[in-house]
Amino acid sequence: MRTTILSLLCMLFSITLQAGDHSPLYQNLPIGVAQPATANIPTFTVSLTDFGAVGDGVTDCTEAFAKAISQLSKQGGGHLNIPAGIYLTGPIQMKSLIDLHVERGAIILFSADKQRYVKSNGDKNSRATPPLTASKCHDISITGEGIIDGNGEWWRAVKHSKVSDTEWKFFLSMGGTQADNGQLWYPHKLKYFADIAETPEAQERMRPHLIRMTDCERILIKGVTVQNAPKFHIVPQRCKDVIIDGVTVRCPWNAQNGDGIDLMQCQRVLVTACTLDVGDDGICLKGGVGVEGVKYGPCADILITGNTVFHAHGGFVIGSEFSGGMHRIVVNDCTFSGTDTGLRFKSGPGRGGKTSDIHISDIRMSDIRDQAIVFETSYADRPAGSKATEKVASQEPEEFIPEFSDIHISHVTCRDTRIGIAAKGTLDMIHDIRIDDSIIFYTSKEKDIDHPDMVKTNNVKLLSY
């Protein structure tokens, strides 16, 4: 009995060291936010090289990952260590009670062969399988100081206006297909890899996220660098008890749809001490579209603290879809430097829901291209190559109107933004927004607000040259 108790104590100690004690972050918050439970991973450990993997960047390690994860699962779970090296692989599917530990100097490099991410039956009507995925799992983690690379340049469309001529020539050297009078390049009909759809537009719609976890409980992602996704980088969807701690997310600034961390209808989440430099939204909360969004519920009990976002379309973002709602969210002690917008709330008819108990404070911003704080209610999500005149199906029906309300923003310091505060819509869409004790230095316009009652301010200094 004594031996059993000591073993359990050692296991708990190991888990605590791995995840860290985050309880101090939940003290003195403006509202009560439920803290996520920690993933419980057994201490048993194996190495990927024990299953035939070779970190030479050439050997296919897909089977080694599958065998290692299967054996760990059969033995009740544990840690799969990835030692220094470059491990080329196809899709990896996680299982419950397993930690993927990517050691310093290790790179998990996902294959650029798109055919490896589609179903064997040739179904080309849905998105390809994410490179790293988990579904209906519990107690899973991805840890370490290594790199997870999605090889996204072989997936993403590229706009000529967003790259230099030298970069454009590089993409053309890969083969591919040009459209829009040579202003848009698709990785379709490449020199070295086969297509998974008949047209470049259809293949564009199939791009997968890099790390996607669906309907899972007790997730920890800590320390790793996640980069170069085919689409979004880290996407927990309908998950509970998620901790993302000290993660670096990066991709080219012009990566199409290159979101960093997207939380979709998740509850009890902590995102802390992360650094992001990405092509689209930085840290983004999504709550589903229309009836399906309502069915799966809101994003709720979320703490986002101590993060740094460099390039992104928005530092912290809600939307564009949030029909399931956004409730009990705290964002504090974050720095945005070089983002297009700072705090961004975006949606449109057919995609909207209701927000409540959102508290944002102690935000530092610099070099913001557009607005420091913006509310937009006519947003439409359009894939590369679509035209502004085309209808977007997700904008219908109009009963799912966005309602941004009960949002409290304070102690924002912003230097050099084009517009200080913007709010575009109607009073039923934007109301009960309060900004206190902030200073914003703008270069073009202090406010762009459709109705003065949308946003109330107190002790807010809007300054310019």
Side-chain angles (χ1 to χ4, degrees):
M1 176 64 72
R2 183 178 178 183
T3 302
T4 301
I5 293 173
L6 287 173
S7 297
L8 288 172
L9 287 173
C10 288
M11 183 181 296
L12 290 171
F13 181 66
S14 172
I15 292 164
T16 301
L17 285 177
Q18 182 190 58
D21 180 13
H22 297 108
S23 57
L25 299 176
Y26 286 81
Q27 297 175 6
N28 303 315
L29 297 181
I31 56 171
V33 177
Q35 186 173 344
T38 303
N40 186 344
I41 310 293
T43 56
F44 183 74
T45 301
V46 298
S47 174
L48 185 66
T49 55
D50 295 338
F51 297 85
V54 181
D56 58 6
V58 177
T59 303
D60 188 339
C61 300
T62 309
E63 187 175 353
F65 275 103
K67 286 182 176 179
I69 290 171
S70 178
Q71 179 170 314
L72 274 176
S73 181
K74 289 176 182 177
Q75 294 183 348
H79 303 264
L80 174 55
N81 277 0
I82 317 300
I86 301 175
Y87 299 89
L88 181 68
T89 182
I92 297 172
Q93 182 155 7
M94 295 285 286
K95 295 186 177 182
S96 298
L97 296 167
I98 288 177
D99 167 45
L100 189 67
H101 185 74
V102 191
E103 295 182 1
R104 184 175 182 180
I107 301 175
I108 298 175
L109 179 63
F110 285 99
S111 171
D113 184 356
K114 300 182 188 70
Q115 290 189 321
R116 304 188 68 175
Y117 303 89
V118 296
K119 296 178 181 179
S120 58
N121 63 8
D123 180 7
K124 299 180 180 181
N125 297 318
S126 61
R127 185 175 294 167
T129 298
L132 181 53
T133 185
S135 177
K136 298 180 180 178
C137 294
H138 64 86
D139 299 285
I140 54 177
S141 62
I142 302 170
T143 63
E145 299 178 69
I147 296 171
I148 299 173
D149 191 315
N151 234 335
E153 65 270 22
W154 297 93
W155 287 89
R156 298 187 301 259
V158 177
K159 296 177 180 178
H160 195 174
S161 61
K162 288 189 173 183
V163 297
S164 67
D165 288 342
T166 299
E167 291 171 300
W168 186 251
K169 289 177 182 177
F170 166 77
F171 287 110
L172 295 182
S173 73
M174 296 164 62
T177 301
Q178 294 186 64
D180 195 18
N181 296 320
Q183 296 305 302
L184 182 65
W185 176 87
Y186 288 104
H188 191 262
K189 298 190 182 303
L190 294 169
K191 289 181 180 178
Y192 305 112
F193 298 105
D195 297 320
I196 56 173
E198 296 299 326
T199 68
E201 294 82 5
Q203 186 166 280
E204 167 70 13
R205 290 191 291 270
M206 294 177 70
R207 279 192 293 146
H209 306 317
L210 176 48
I211 299 176
R212 187 180 183 91
M213 298 178 175
T214 307
D215 300 306
C216 295
E217 296 183 0
R218 295 183 297 282
I219 299 168
L220 171 67
I221 305 177
K222 182 176 175 64
V224 292
T225 294
V226 180
Q227 65 182 27
N228 205 14
K231 198 169 184 182
F232 301 169
H233 287 77
I234 300 175
V235 186
Q237 182 175 25
R238 302 190 301 272
C239 294
K240 297 179 180 178
D241 299 305
V242 180
I243 298 173
I244 304 175
D245 182 359
V247 171
T248 298
V249 184
R250 58 189 296 270
C251 67
W253 73 270
N254 48 20
Q256 188 75 21
N257 307 115
D259 286 28
I261 299 171
D262 281 38
L263 306 174
M264 299 184 176
Q265 296 176 286
C266 294
Q267 291 89 48
R268 298 187 299 278
V269 181
L270 170 65
V271 180
T272 184
C274 294
T275 301
L276 299 96
D277 194 345
V278 295
D280 208 310
D281 292 328
I283 301 172
C284 183
L285 307 187
K286 297 181 180 292
V289 177
V291 174
E292 285 295 301
V294 174
K295 175 182 176 181
Y296 291 112
C299 278
D301 290 300
I302 295 175
L303 175 59
I304 297 170
T305 183
N307 303 287
T308 300
V309 183
F310 293 103
H311 184 269
H313 286 185
F316 169 73
V317 181
I318 288 180
S320 63
E321 60 269 29
F322 72 106
S323 298
M326 298 281 159
H327 311 298
R328 295 187 304 282
I329 296 164
V330 174
V331 182
N332 63 29
D333 188 25
C334 290
T335 300
F336 307 147
S337 180
T339 60
D340 292 350
T341 60
L343 302 172
R344 186 183 189 191
F345 305 85
K346 61 176 182 177
S347 192
R351 308 174 72 82
K354 184 175 176 59
T355 65
S356 68
D357 268 334
I358 296 179
H359 295 258
I360 302 172
S361 65
D362 299 293
I363 307 297
R364 301 161 294 274
M365 308 184 199
S366 67
D367 191 22
I368 307 300
R369 190 187 71 175
D370 294 321
Q371 307 98 345
I373 303 169
V374 58
F375 298 86
E376 49 188 313
T377 57
S378 58
Y379 182 85
D381 187 17
R382 301 181 187 278
S386 64
K387 306 300 180 183
T389 55
E390 295 176 13
K391 279 192 173 183
V392 180
S394 59
Q395 285 185 296
E396 307 291 347
E398 292 200 1
E399 59 261 31
F400 294 100
I401 300 297
E403 184 178 357
F404 292 117
S405 64
D406 197 12
I407 298 174
H408 312 267
I409 302 171
S410 65
H411 298 99
V412 171
T413 303
C414 178
R415 173 72 195 198
D416 289 339
T417 182
R418 187 170 61 86
I419 299 172
I421 304 168
K424 309 301 290 181
T426 60
L427 267 177
D428 60 334
M429 294 183 182
I430 306 170
H431 60 91
D432 294 304
I433 311 296
R434 187 173 181 89
I435 305 175
D436 296 312
D437 304 317
S438 298
I439 183 166
I440 298 173
F441 190 97
Y442 65 90
T443 59
S444 178
K445 192 174 185 180
E446 65 175 53
K447 292 181 181 179
D448 185 10
I449 298 175
D450 285 345
H451 194 287
D453 289 337
M454 288 178 170
V455 180
K456 300 291 187 181
T457 61
N458 175 55
N459 192 30
V460 174
K461 298 179 181 179
L462 294 159
L463 307 174
S464 190
Y465 294 105

